[in-house]
Amino acid sequence: MDDTLNIESKLTEFSVETPSWGYADSGTRFGVFPQPGRPRDVFEKLEDAAEVHRLTGSAGSVALHIPWDKVDDYGELRAFAEGLGLTIGAVNPNLFQDPDYKLGSITNPDPRVRAKAVEHMIECVEIATALGSTAQSLWLADGTNYPGQDDLSARRVRLLDSLVQLYAVLPQEQELLVEYKPFEPAFYATDLADWGSATLICQQLGDRARVLIDLGHHLHGTNVEQIVSQLSTVDRLGGFHFNNRKYADDDLIVGSTNPFELFLIFNELIGSGRPLPRLTIDQSHNVEAKIEAMTLSILNLQESYAKALLVDREELAVRQLEGDVLGGHEILLDAYNTDVRPLWARVREAKGVASDPIADLRNGDYLTEAANRRAGLQPAGRKAST
Ligand code: RM4
Ligand code: MN
Ligand code: MN
């Protein structure tokens, strides 16, 4: 077991990216329920992210989605973020909303559409460079709905060919994170459906291509912590999209449905002996209060991480070697059942942030002031991006 000081210094360093899209209005297929004070552009999303960071001390970086967060002047955006004490995290190209992408983006049978998609990915590399970001994070909606709709092998060739073009222009300081998802929006064959497919592609691309695990992107029963272990062993684990689900890609607050899985994931991350990969939240808050949802997500991540740091790894190894089936399991339960909230309150206080972030948010003025400031449709004096 790490000693207390060592654990506290690890907690102090703990850092998670929050997603710009998790602050904005979002909804289901059936409706969108606008919330008072919701940010109207990326600048206001950054303001909300800064509030979450002020409360938790672990959320100093914000992932962006392009074109949702497109602006005319990225120098201005970067300076604005830095002024709030934030950095820009991974840049996510959006390859799923343009009508041209109806039959896929970089695997589309039409070479014109593929070229357009590659061009957008390259544009995102340039945007990341201007913003000081160090990652492209790629999720493809590409796939087919019916057997025979397209040639599976031809789509695989197009996928690699397009990504090779992207990887060729990726600056040294940027990495490529490749996300997978078994279904939705494609319901027969998704082009990057699982961690194996994503790993093969990364291995064909190069060392800076790594797999990103989204907790909502597995079929039921999948052992996600074992995927962590597999990918860590071959140094292909690039990062996480944290959220929680009960059914499919529900994008609910991380740790809300299956906190034990979250703990086991951190247990594998720490057990791998490697530095933590890029940790990002990927949630969309439809009925819950967005800033509170994000704050609670960070707190749940903080607590899972602390519990996993408490695992007595030496004793665990002894019991595993002895073949003590439940002895090892009980070591994990000991750590999981520890109340780490006082520990985190101490760490946050030492960092000068809130010891009780949710109470601080609820009792503070930020939410009311944001609702007052953001009553209109368009932020005053700021031009909408083109
Ligand atoms: C997808 C996937 C991507 C995210 C989009 C909005 O399901 O998780 O990471 O960018 O949703
Ligand atoms: Mn995701
Ligand atoms: Mn998702």
Side-chain angles (χ1 to χ4, degrees):
M1 194 185 338
D2 271 288
D3 57 49
T4 315
L5 268 184
N6 196 3
I7 290 183
E8 288 189 13
S9 87
K10 286 183 175 159
L11 299 185
T12 306
E13 296 299 311
F14 184 61
S15 163
V16 178
E17 292 185 11
T18 66
S20 68
W21 58 99
Y23 296 101
D25 269 340
S26 57
T28 66
R29 287 190 279 170
F30 305 105
V32 178
F33 305 104
Q35 293 191 11
R38 81 278 174 259
R40 297 162 297 179
D41 65 8
V42 61
F43 294 90
E44 291 181 349
K45 294 176 197 171
L46 289 175
E47 286 171 4
D48 287 0
E51 174 66 1
V52 173
H53 187 41
R54 185 189 73 77
L55 294 165
T56 64
S58 300
S61 196
V62 183
L64 300 186
H65 225 299
I66 304 293
W68 295 338
D69 296 320
K70 222 169 170 178
V71 293
D72 294 326
D73 183 348
Y74 288 99
E76 181 193 10
L77 185 63
R78 182 175 181 170
F80 188 81
E82 287 170 359
L84 292 169
L86 299 172
T87 56
I88 301 299
V91 171
N92 292 245
N94 184 321
L95 296 163
F96 47 87
Q97 278 191 315
D98 191 296
D100 270 344
Y101 300 149
K102 182 172 147 187
L103 300 181
S105 59
I106 60 175
T107 66
N108 194 298
D110 182 345
R112 185 194 62 83
V113 176
R114 294 204 296 280
K116 171 175 167 168
V118 169
E119 200 180 300
H120 176 56
M121 293 191 299
I122 293 173
E123 178 195 11
C124 286
V125 169
E126 286 157 9
I127 291 173
T129 304
L131 290 170
S133 153
T134 53
Q136 295 294 312
S137 191
L138 196 67
W139 172 69
L140 303 175
D142 295 34
T144 50
N145 273 8
Y146 296 96
Q149 179 187 327
D150 196 6
D151 185 297
L152 298 182
S153 304
R155 290 182 78 91
R156 176 61 169 71
V157 170
R158 296 174 205 144
L159 174 72
L160 181 62
D161 177 64
S162 303
L163 290 181
V164 163
Q165 293 176 57
L166 166 67
Y167 197 81
V169 300
L170 198 68
Q172 275 303 320
E173 60 280 9
Q174 286 184 39
E175 59 179 345
L176 177 65
L177 304 175
V178 180
E179 195 171 343
Y180 56 90
K181 183 172 177 177
F183 73 94
E184 196 202 26
F187 291 109
Y188 168 62
T190 297
D191 292 318
L192 274 174
D194 53 35
W195 68 274
S197 315
T199 306
L200 288 176
I201 280 286
C202 290
Q203 287 173 335
Q204 285 180 285
L205 289 173
D207 289 346
R208 279 175 297 120
R210 290 198 176 82
V211 180
L212 183 138
I213 301 175
D214 182 315
L215 294 192
H217 293 194
H218 302 93
L219 299 177
H220 280 269
T222 302
N223 184 332
V224 180
E225 58 271 22
Q226 193 172 26
I227 300 175
V228 173
S229 146
Q230 298 279 330
L231 289 175
S232 299
T233 307
V234 296
D235 198 16
R236 287 289 171 176
L237 179 61
F240 273 89
H241 272 179
F242 283 119
N243 47 55
N244 220 170
R245 63 88 174 267
K246 182 136 181 86
Y247 299 106
D249 192 17
D250 305 347
D251 282 341
L252 298 173
I253 292 172
V254 59
S256 59
T257 307
N258 197 350
F260 192 54
E261 179 188 59
L262 190 61
F263 161 77
L264 294 174
I265 286 169
F266 275 109
N267 181 49
E268 288 305 327
L269 288 172
I270 294 163
S272 76
R274 293 171 187 270
L276 291 175
R278 186 177 294 257
L279 307 178
T280 307
I281 289 174
D282 179 10
Q283 292 174 188
S284 88
H285 307 121
N286 302 329
V287 296
E288 57 279 64
K290 292 166 196 298
I291 297 179
E292 187 167 325
M294 203 65 85
T295 304
L296 187 52
S297 299
I298 298 283
L299 299 185
N300 288 346
L301 287 168
Q302 288 181 337
E303 286 168 24
S304 289
Y305 179 49
K307 287 179 182 201
L309 285 171
L310 290 174
V311 170
D312 185 341
R313 283 174 204 286
E314 275 172 30
E315 183 59 21
L316 181 64
V318 169
R319 295 188 187 188
Q320 288 173 344
L321 277 176
E322 285 170 350
D324 182 352
V325 178
L326 289 182
H329 180 61
E330 279 157 13
I331 292 286
L332 295 189
L333 289 182
D334 273 347
Y336 178 67
N337 288 321
T338 308
D339 184 359
V340 294
R341 289 174 297 182
L343 170 61
W344 259 112
R346 244 188 1 256
V347 170
R348 281 193 301 265
E349 252 169 38
K351 287 187 87 167
V353 303
S355 62
D356 184 348
I358 298 289
D360 191 312
L361 175 68
R362 287 192 167 212
N363 298 330
D365 297 326
Y366 184 83
L367 296 172
T368 329
E369 282 175 1
N372 290 338
R373 273 201 321 270
R374 301 173 184 171
L377 279 179
Q378 199 64 46
R382 220 178 273 140
K383 202 157 74 88
S385 73
T386 41

